[in-house]
Amino acid sequence: MLSRTADHLFWMARYTERAENTARMLDVNIQTSMLPQSAEDAERGWRAMLGISELQSAFDHQYGLLTKKDVLDFMVRDPMNPSSIASCLKEARENARAVRGTLTTEVWETQNATWLDMQDRLSDTILENDPSQFFEWVKYRSHLSRGVTLGTMLKDEAVHFIRLGTFIERADNTARILDVKFHGAKESGRGNDSLQRDFYYWAALLRSVSGFEIYRKVYRDVITPERVAELLMLRGDMPRSLLACMDEVVANLREVRNDVSADTERFAGKLHAELQFARIEEILAEGLHDNLTRFLENIFDLGNRVSRDFLVPLAA
């Protein structure tokens, strides 16, 4: 496969996944902002969400004072924000259009219809009146895109590069939201709050990664921060966990290996093994923040390695 084609497929998937992840983060922040809390705690929550995507300085430069409405506009509509939902879905559509001949008609029409429908939805007042409904629509369109891809495309290199993009992006986001939410709980002294408030906080985090029902099925007990971390990091049967993402990354890298990718496979395999054989007690003893920071650095490095080995056109 031409490296340019692989690049478009990889980034089509990453932008689609990023739009979904942004919708998930915004939705859970809206839910947690409804809990009884001080104005300072509410602002800290929105700033933490901007910090997940490393967009705090960009927001401050453009808006100054922080309000819920401005954060939603910045993260959903703003064309100057490359990580906004509108920007991500536009880039996903443009990357799909560039490799239209590689995709099935169903995959292309799904990407194109998502972009067109999004413009109609953002032109009315849905974001002001019922933002959660809009975020559910974004998640649904992302699910649809993945389902149509797996249901209609030949299981060849094109699908493997799409899957690589999806799970590298998902691993990055899961690590970010877990790190920021744990840090936010520690800063606000949430461990000393009522059990009811604690429950809603961690339940909202689990729902942001579609993990609430899974948690109940796996642990059948009260929600604790340690078990939330274990579920989202080390459970290979949890679809959005770090281990599940690395399972997919390693498997798809194996399918597209070339003459120069052995070192990248080895690097991904090491990340995978560290998660596969880790214990949550050891991670917490070491420090969750330090562990997740190191993982984020490694997943960023892995993305660069994939680009170097597969996606950058070779010099003539």
Side-chain angles (χ1 to χ4, degrees), residues 35-300:
L35 296 174
Q37 59 186 315
S38 66
E40 291 78 11
D41 278 346
E43 180 175 340
R44 187 184 297 115
W46 288 109
R47 289 197 178 279
M49 198 223 62
L50 290 169
I52 292 174
S53 303
E54 300 179 2
L55 292 169
Q56 180 69 68
S57 59
F59 176 87
D60 289 341
H61 177 74
Q62 187 166 338
Y63 290 92
L65 295 177
L66 184 147
T67 66
K68 172 183 172 181
K69 178 182 181 300
D70 285 343
V71 173
L72 287 176
D73 281 341
F74 181 67
M75 295 299 293
V76 175
R77 288 192 175 104
D78 196 335
M80 301 303 293
N81 173 12
S83 293
S84 71
I85 291 175
S87 295
C88 288
L89 293 182
K90 178 183 178 182
E91 288 300 320
R93 188 253 188 187
E94 290 303 307
N95 277 283
R97 185 173 62 85
V99 288
R100 172 68 185 85
T102 304
L103 305 174
T104 60
T105 299
E106 292 88 347
V107 173
W108 160 246
E109 289 183 347
T110 298
Q111 291 286 350
N112 193 45
T114 298
W115 163 243
L116 296 172
D117 195 9
M118 183 202 67
Q119 295 180 85
D120 291 338
R121 288 173 181 269
L122 292 182
S123 65
D124 60 26
T125 59
I126 186 172
L127 197 58
E128 290 76 16
N129 296 335
D130 193 357
S132 289
Q133 181 184 343
F134 174 75
F135 299 141
E136 285 298 322
W137 173 84
V138 175
K139 289 188 281 184
Y140 168 76
R141 296 304 298 187
S142 181
H143 297 326
L144 182 62
S145 175
R146 285 193 298 274
V148 169
T149 298
L150 291 177
T152 67
M153 288 190 64
L154 185 69
K155 303 299 188 295
D156 60 2
E157 284 188 330
V159 166
H160 296 311
F161 280 114
I162 290 172
R163 301 288 281 175
L164 268 177
T166 295
F167 289 102
I168 288 177
E169 185 68 31
R170 184 177 296 182
D172 179 273
N173 181 262
T174 297
R176 287 179 187 277
I177 194 170
L178 188 59
D179 187 27
V180 170
K181 289 301 181 182
F182 265 75
H183 187 64
K186 183 178 179 180
E187 273 196 350
S188 62
R190 202 173 295 274
N192 298 321
D193 290 346
S194 69
L195 290 175
Q196 184 180 30
R197 180 187 172 110
D198 212 38
F199 169 81
Y200 283 118
Y201 182 85
W202 295 113
L205 169 59
L206 287 169
R207 287 193 175 96
S208 75
V209 291
S210 298
F212 183 75
E213 291 85 359
I214 292 175
Y215 184 99
R216 287 303 199 193
K217 187 173 184 179
V218 170
Y219 296 105
R220 300 178 182 275
D221 203 348
V222 296
I223 300 175
T224 66
E226 296 77 16
R227 286 176 174 173
V228 170
E230 181 180 55
L231 181 70
L232 298 188
M233 294 181 72
L234 306 181
R235 294 281 310 201
D237 49 359
M238 163 60 185
R240 304 189 75 86
S241 73
L242 301 187
L243 178 56
C245 291
M246 290 309 302
D247 285 343
E248 292 285 345
V249 169
V250 168
N252 284 282
L253 270 176
R254 188 182 305 119
E255 295 296 327
V256 298
R257 63 168 51 129
N258 59 27
D259 294 339
V260 299
S261 65
D263 189 55
T264 296
E265 279 193 75
R266 192 177 304 112
F267 184 80
K270 182 180 178 182
L271 288 182
H272 179 249
E274 288 174 355
L275 291 166
Q276 187 175 18
F277 298 108
R279 294 290 179 268
I280 194 61
E281 296 82 8
E282 298 169 355
I283 291 174
L284 294 175
E286 173 193 348
L288 183 67
H289 175 69
D290 291 341
N291 189 280
L292 290 172
T293 298
R294 186 171 64 251
F295 179 84
L296 284 167
E297 292 171 352
N298 287 333
I299 206 71
F300 178 77

